[in-house]
Amino acid sequence: MSAQTLAPARRQRGVNLEKWGWLFMRGSGVVLIVLIFGHLFVNLMVGDGIHAVDFGFVAGKYATPFWQWWDVLMLWLALIHGSNGMRTIVNDYVTHEKARKALVWALGLAAALLIILGTLVVFTFDPCAGVLEDGSMWETCQALGK
């Protein structure tokens, strides 16, 4: 009887992107649960609840850096988390190499575009832009000097 000798498994050198993607999905999922439920609690349960959510409510939230960063972090994590999940699905089920690469690139571009646009909306939001004298925000904007 001859004994078969197996060569030891060789480790790849460099960064293991799949491992880091897997870890990101777990960590971002936990953080997203906190961010989303905090967002829902403040918007739907505090004060008058859903009846208080209007333009003025959003303008008031986006007047503070805390809520700007809360929503931007939620946006970034949700988009990266979702696009990474879609990338995993594409890699698992699309067998044609060129189609897979095209879909992964499209996912990355769509996520990047939405992250950029969403971040711009949150940080450049001006509740006084376009407010008319007969509007409900006129006094508030005048008090702010805008």
Side-chain angles (χ1 to χ4, degrees), residues 93-103:
Y93 292 108
V94 177
T95 57
H96 192 266
E97 184 67 26
K98 287 185 180 180
R100 182 171 46 245
K101 283 185 180 182
L103 288 170

Side-chain angles (χ1 to χ4, degrees), residues 25-42:
M25 293 297 276
R26 273 61 189 170
S28 67
V30 172
V31 174
L32 276 169
I33 287 173
V34 172
L35 291 172
I36 290 169
F37 280 110
H39 174 84
L40 290 174
F41 180 77
V42 167

Side-chain angles (χ1 to χ4, degrees), residues 56-105:
F57 179 81
V58 174
K61 274 183 68 177
Y62 282 170
T64 62
F66 175 79
W67 287 113
Q68 288 177 332
W69 282 105
W70 183 286
D71 283 356
V72 162
L73 183 61
M74 187 170 53
L75 171 81
W76 280 46
L77 286 177
L79 283 169
I80 295 170
H81 185 96
S83 61
N84 191 34
M86 289 301 298
R87 181 194 61 83
T88 303
I89 292 170
V90 167
N91 284 338
D92 285 347
Y93 292 108
V94 177
T95 57
H96 192 266
E97 184 67 26
K98 287 185 180 180
R100 182 171 46 245
K101 283 185 180 182
L103 288 170
V104 169
W105 270 96

Side-chain angles (χ1 to χ4, degrees), residues 4-20:
Q4 280 187 329
T5 59
L6 296 174
R10 299 181 86 183
R11 293 191 59 157
Q12 286 183 328
R13 303 233 183 248
V15 179
N16 186 349
L17 291 178
E18 290 298 323
K19 177 183 85 170
W20 288 107

